[in-house]
Amino acid sequence: MAKKKQLAAIIHLGSERVTMQLIEYTDLYAVTILDEASQTVRLGEETFKTGRISTETMQALIDILKGFRRLMKDYGIKDYVLEATTAVREARNRTFFLDQVLVKTGFVMDVINLPQEIFRKIASLSYHLESHKKKVEHKGGHLLVDLSSGAMGFTYVRRGEMEYQQNLHVGLIRMKEYFTRNEQSSIHFGEALREYIRANLFPVMQELENKPVESMFISGVESSYLPRILKKKPDKKGLIKVGAGDLEEMIRAAGSSFVYIVTNRFIDGIRALYIARQKDPAFMAYMQSIQMSQIRGVARRFGSNLVHVGLVADLCEAIFETVAKSEGLDGADLHLLRAAALLHGVGKFFSLRAGKLYNYELIQATDFLGFGPDAQQTIASVSYLFSLPSPDALSPEAYDREISATPAVAKLAAILRLADALDVSRKQKITGCRTVMKENQFRIIVTSREDLSLERWTFEKQSGFFEEVFGLTPILEQVER
């Protein structure tokens, strides 16, 4: 039976261009671009300089979006995704702009943060390589450098694990705005610009100094100019391979043997994730594994016992799967719970006494790829709440930070609290776990041949939170088989 074809509009409002793709698709790798419309805008320069979107620019953007709406109607397309990035995100009057867009065009615009931007670019690269069955062989690591108008992102991956990820608010337009016209015309401008870039990138280069970089991938708006500068065309896989003679200074700085210029675009990543969420669980699982890889890297950096937090995450999942359906929880909640489980001890790196507070602050201050502000707030709140005896035991410091204690967050924290108790000794005594929910009891049956006295006593002390939130009495049972 032939797969049903679906239609959608993929729209990106960037700092320099508004682009729409009208697509027909049956799955992630069977996509036809029916039409594409694009219009240059000066949004980034205006927002970065004034902090606002002017009335004139706002009207011009609305007129463009109205044109997109008419084109969608011509093709009979109703479904869409519209995402805006840095320039809209940093506009102080963005709330009013979003309202005007909704009122005058009917579009609901999602404004994504910088980690979500980088995540879409990684999705774009991953999709592009997979769709062409391209394998990038390496003995060392990969460094993805994303260049955009308002920011730069650095992502280092080795042996399938993301070991480093940082984003800087330094981009082409920002650098231009930093220097006055007189300064840009000075004979000393070139050297001053190089020093400015080196100063901003110093923490990144210092971190990467001892990390082997076999291949460097350059993506983003500014990377599109490099093929013309180098007078090279991308291959069928959308990559341009360059050597030391082409980008000598950049390669030397990264210590990379090969540099690939990625010619696929940000909108490709939006499209890939939009379709994959509906049609390709395997691709979404892969992208989520990238997120978890970064989270493990953060946990490792701040002294967490990765074996312990990994087991706690697995135990959380075992408990979650039994209660999820009846409690209105879904796969997105599980993803956040696993993230909180991996990060629930990072605050102790700074303070054993105030670990839960530092845990919350550290999670909130870290750029986690693909997580929006609400998701990050949930992860941070779960990591804080799990250390409390009950969900209503919030201290003044929690209220000051608007730490969330909603029922959904409390449920995740209660699950994490029980799971952590099952490995409180950090000895991984439990080799198996299954759960049974019956009437008002929640039985956790664990397999272990060792003495679980400490785990059992801790479990009993920490079960009150779970009982209060779920209305179920947790019972721990041990079997030796």
Side-chain angles (χ1 to χ4, degrees):
M1 183 177 176
K3 294 181 180 179
K4 182 181 178 181
K5 294 181 179 180
Q6 294 179 252
L7 300 173
I10 312 298
I11 309 171
H12 172 222
L13 174 51
S15 299
E16 299 178 87
R17 185 169 293 274
V18 189
T19 304
M20 178 176 72
Q21 288 182 353
L22 301 182
I23 63 170
E24 180 182 77
Y25 64 97
T26 55
D27 60 50
L28 183 58
Y29 301 103
V31 181
T32 301
I33 297 177
L34 303 174
D35 205 342
E36 181 166 323
S38 185
Q39 180 69 47
T40 300
V41 295
R42 309 282 294 194
L43 182 60
E45 288 190 25
E46 179 178 270
T47 302
F48 301 152
K49 187 174 183 178
T50 68
R52 301 176 59 82
I53 303 173
S54 67
T55 302
E56 294 77 12
T57 301
M58 199 177 292
Q59 187 57 54
L61 290 170
I62 287 172
D63 288 342
I64 293 171
L65 292 175
K66 284 180 177 178
F68 286 177
R69 191 54 109 169
R70 289 192 294 270
L71 190 57
M72 287 172 60
K73 186 176 181 180
D74 291 342
Y75 280 88
I77 294 176
K78 296 181 180 179
D79 296 330
Y80 70 92
V81 57
L82 168 54
E83 294 186 347
T85 45
T86 311
V88 175
R89 182 172 66 241
E90 297 191 9
R92 294 194 300 271
N93 60 339
R94 75 174 189 182
T95 300
F96 304 108
F97 173 59
L98 298 181
D99 178 68
Q100 286 298 299
V101 169
L102 176 61
V103 170
K104 295 180 179 179
T105 72
F107 282 124
V108 175
M109 184 183 298
D110 294 324
V111 182
I112 62 174
N113 61 22
L114 188 54
Q116 289 174 301
E117 279 191 55
I118 303 296
F119 188 67
R120 279 148 181 77
K121 290 167 184 176
I122 293 175
S124 177
L125 177 60
S126 300
Y127 164 78
H128 210 73
L129 295 177
E130 178 61 27
S131 62
H132 291 93
K133 304 301 180 185
K134 172 70 176 176
K135 299 293 184 182
V136 181
E137 300 297 334
H138 67 287
K139 295 180 181 178
H142 295 322
L143 177 64
L144 173 63
V145 181
D146 180 70
L147 309 174
S148 66
S149 301
M152 298 177 68
F154 296 85
T155 305
Y156 178 78
V157 180
R158 179 168 54 171
R159 303 189 192 95
E161 287 288 303
M162 189 179 297
E163 296 186 6
Y164 180 75
Q165 206 292 316
Q166 284 291 341
N167 304 307
L168 294 82
H169 285 290
V170 178
L172 182 65
I173 294 179
R174 285 190 200 277
M175 286 189 283
K176 181 180 177 182
E177 293 300 327
Y178 183 82
F179 297 97
T180 66
R181 290 187 177 181
N182 286 338
E183 290 168 344
Q184 292 178 39
S185 62
S186 168
I187 60 173
H188 303 292
F189 175 66
E191 182 59 29
L193 178 61
R194 283 189 288 273
E195 290 177 355
Y196 176 78
I197 294 172
R198 289 192 194 109
N200 278 277
L201 295 186
F202 176 75
V204 176
M205 303 320 298
Q206 188 177 45
E207 180 68 29
L208 295 174
E209 187 175 8
N210 297 317
K211 296 184 185 297
V213 179
E214 184 74 14
S215 303
M216 181 163 64
F217 294 86
I218 304 174
S219 69
V221 175
E222 275 64 58
S223 69
S224 63
Y225 299 110
L226 293 176
R228 282 177 282 172
I229 296 172
L230 299 175
K231 297 180 180 179
K232 292 190 175 186
K233 294 182 179 180
D235 60 20
K236 294 181 180 179
K237 304 170 183 66
L239 298 175
I240 297 173
K241 187 174 181 180
V242 299
D246 297 309
L247 296 170
E248 183 176 352
E249 186 172 350
M250 184 178 293
I251 295 172
R252 185 170 61 248
S256 173
S257 301
F258 300 103
V259 174
Y260 297 90
I261 300 171
V262 182
T263 58
N264 50 303
R265 298 172 298 166
F266 181 78
I267 198 169
D268 299 327
I270 301 177
R271 186 185 70 234
L273 289 174
Y274 175 81
I275 298 174
R277 289 188 181 104
Q278 307 169 52
K279 303 285 187 178
D280 202 317
F283 185 83
M284 289 307 302
Y286 170 71
M287 293 304 300
Q288 289 182 344
S289 75
I290 291 176
Q291 291 178 295
M292 289 300 159
S293 171
Q294 184 202 4
I295 287 171
R296 284 192 298 272
V298 172
R300 185 187 302 110
R301 173 186 286 266
F302 293 108
S304 291
N305 181 330
L306 291 186
V307 178
H308 165 67
V309 297
L311 176 59
V312 170
D314 290 340
L315 293 170
C316 280
E317 185 166 350
I319 297 171
F320 179 94
E321 294 292 357
T322 303
V323 300
K325 186 175 181 180
S326 62
E327 296 293 332
L329 302 173
D330 58 21
D333 295 310
L334 176 59
H335 191 49
L336 299 179
L337 174 59
R338 289 193 66 94
L342 292 173
L343 294 168
H344 76 277
V346 293
K348 294 179 180 178
F349 180 86
F350 297 98
S351 172
L352 293 175
R353 177 183 58 82
K356 65 178 182 293
L357 178 60
Y358 281 101
N359 223 93
Y360 176 87
E361 298 284 11
L362 180 62
I363 293 173
Q364 285 287 59
T366 303
D367 285 346
F368 290 112
L369 295 183
F371 291 105
D374 291 342
Q376 198 151 331
Q377 170 72 13
T378 296
I379 296 169
S381 296
V382 169
S383 76
Y384 182 95
L385 285 177
F386 107 96
S387 61
L388 304 181
S390 68
D392 58 359
L394 293 173
S395 62
E397 67 186 19
Y399 291 111
D400 291 342
R401 289 163 178 79
E402 299 183 352
I403 293 177
S404 173
T406 63
V409 170
K411 289 173 184 178
L412 301 184
I415 293 172
L416 176 54
R417 191 169 170 81
L418 281 191
D420 186 68
L422 296 176
D423 192 43
V424 65
S425 66
R426 273 49 172 182
K427 290 186 175 181
Q428 294 78 56
K429 299 175 185 177
I430 292 172
T431 58
C433 175
R434 63 186 181 91
T435 59
V436 178
M437 183 171 61
K438 187 174 182 180
E439 296 178 351
N440 63 340
Q441 292 185 340
F442 190 83
R443 296 167 56 213
I444 301 179
I445 305 158
V446 298
T447 303
S448 178
R449 294 180 179 274
E450 300 187 46
D451 177 14
L452 296 182
S453 295
L454 177 60
E455 284 74 16
R456 188 179 301 278
W457 296 335
T458 305
F459 181 91
E460 291 171 357
K461 289 180 175 68
Q462 299 196 172
S463 62
F465 194 133
F466 186 93
E467 187 168 6
E468 183 174 350
V469 171
F470 288 98
L472 299 168
T473 302
I475 299 173
L476 179 62
E477 299 179 14
Q478 179 181 358
V479 296
E480 295 185 358
R481 65 177 183 275

